[in-house]
Amino acid sequence: MSSVTNDTPQLLLAHHLKSLRLLTFLREYDKVAKQCASEGVDHTRYLLRLTELELIDRERRMVERRIKGAKFPTIKSLDSFDFKAMPSLNKMQLMELARCDFISRQENIIAVGNSGTGKSHIAIGLGLAACQKGLSVGFITASALVHELLEARDEKRLLRLQKQLAKYSLLIIDELGYVPLSPTGAELLFEVFSQRYERGSTIVTSNLPFDEWTSTFGSERLTGALLDRLTHHVHILEMNGDSFRLKQSAQSKET
């Protein structure tokens, strides 16, 4: 009977901490109590240690949720990018952009260059940095986005999708220009850019220089209006050079 009585406070504490969703607190309180007792730490500092652990773990879980919600195709940080292989890329400029102040200013980034030069890597790295800063991020290829927009239009849920896309602090649209768009698809994609103009930041990667974007959108008028909005507040990353993928393929054949 005494054993049950002695266990009751621990059971109640565990129940209350779960209800409050203080899961790190629940996992660590006994271990930290023993550490503090051996170090002669008072109860205030004991609680401080526990709350710090809870906050650190909660922030980690929130970052993980933001990264998962962004739907990156792979996880690549800027630290793993080979800047020596891409001398045309301004590393100082990129490190400044990684602070994510451009997002609070609703500025855009366009990474332009040959296929395989790491544009997606840079976009994902900046997206990860934004997730770590507590910002909402979405990642999608241009062709997949147009497909989703067309599907949403046919299913009478286009407005809901447009609102969702407009809510992201940072929207990354990868591989613009790889596939020509239908007139309807081009107009729907233009609407996405227009709705985010001076309201949210967008990163676009493209293998085409600006003067060839008409081949993707099929209309000089639409392309001009798009570039007018997209480049009003923009940071351009020029990434022309040899393809990383071709280099890696050649190296693997040599070995």
Side-chain angles (χ1 to χ4, degrees):
M1 185 69 176
S2 60
S3 175
V4 174
T5 304
N6 290 337
D7 289 344
T8 299
Q10 285 186 314
L11 292 171
L12 285 172
L13 178 59
H15 176 269
H16 295 334
L17 290 174
K18 286 178 183 176
S19 298
L20 292 167
R21 297 183 180 179
L22 296 172
L23 303 182
T24 307
F25 206 114
L26 173 61
R27 187 178 66 246
E28 301 289 340
Y29 81 87
D30 192 48
K31 181 176 74 175
V32 175
K34 290 173 182 175
Q35 290 174 348
C36 288
S38 67
E39 297 170 16
V41 173
D42 62 31
H43 68 281
T44 303
R45 294 184 182 278
Y46 163 63
L47 290 171
L48 178 61
R49 286 190 189 181
L50 280 176
T51 51
E52 286 175 341
L53 288 171
E54 183 68 46
L55 287 169
I56 290 168
D57 202 40
R58 187 169 293 189
E59 177 58 29
R60 178 188 59 78
R61 292 196 302 269
M62 288 177 67
V63 169
E64 288 174 355
R65 283 196 295 272
R66 285 191 288 268
I67 291 172
K68 184 178 180 181
K71 298 181 180 178
F72 297 117
T74 185
I75 303 301
K76 292 183 178 181
S77 69
L78 295 176
D79 293 337
S80 62
F81 188 81
D82 186 2
F83 287 96
K84 291 181 181 178
M86 188 53 56
S88 65
L89 184 62
N90 187 329
K91 184 178 179 180
M92 292 282 287
Q93 178 191 16
L94 191 62
M95 291 299 101
E96 177 64 27
L97 291 172
R99 296 173 58 185
C100 297
D101 293 337
F102 76 96
I103 299 176
S104 62
R105 296 191 297 264
Q106 290 86 46
E107 296 170 350
N108 302 318
I109 296 174
I110 304 176
V112 181
N114 306 332
S115 179
T117 51
K119 298 183 299 296
S120 298
H121 186 155
I122 291 297
I124 291 169
L126 290 170
L128 281 174
C131 287
Q132 290 161 353
K133 296 282 187 180
L135 301 168
S136 59
V137 179
F139 182 102
I140 192 167
T141 64
S143 59
L145 177 55
V146 169
H147 177 76
E148 283 194 20
L149 290 165
L150 289 168
E151 193 175 74
R153 184 202 59 170
D154 294 342
E155 296 174 1
K156 311 296 184 188
R157 53 179 181 84
L158 179 59
L159 185 60
R160 191 189 341 156
L161 177 57
Q162 288 174 329
K163 286 182 177 179
Q164 177 188 335
L165 293 168
K167 282 182 179 178
Y168 287 118
S169 298
L170 174 64
L171 179 63
I172 301 170
I173 300 177
D174 198 28
E175 298 181 348
L176 181 68
Y178 284 72
V179 180
L181 305 176
S182 67
T184 303
E187 288 176 8
L188 288 171
L189 185 56
F190 173 76
E191 278 299 309
V192 172
F193 287 114
S194 291
Q195 288 164 2
R196 293 186 60 78
Y197 177 59
E198 295 191 328
R199 296 187 185 92
S201 292
T202 306
I203 295 179
V204 176
T205 74
S206 179
N207 63 323
L208 296 178
F210 295 141
D211 59 3
E212 294 181 26
W213 280 29
T214 305
S215 64
T216 297
F217 288 91
S219 162
E220 289 187 10
R221 177 191 59 80
L222 194 66
T223 305
L226 169 66
L227 286 171
D228 183 56
R229 287 162 175 75
L230 198 57
T231 62
H232 186 200
H233 308 287
V234 71
H235 303 270
I236 296 174
L237 304 178
E238 294 185 12
M239 299 182 63
N240 289 306
D242 296 330
S243 167
F244 290 153
R245 289 193 285 270
L246 288 176
K247 283 183 182 178
Q248 290 169 352
S249 177
Q251 288 169 355
S252 63
K253 286 178 182 177
E254 290 173 3
T255 55

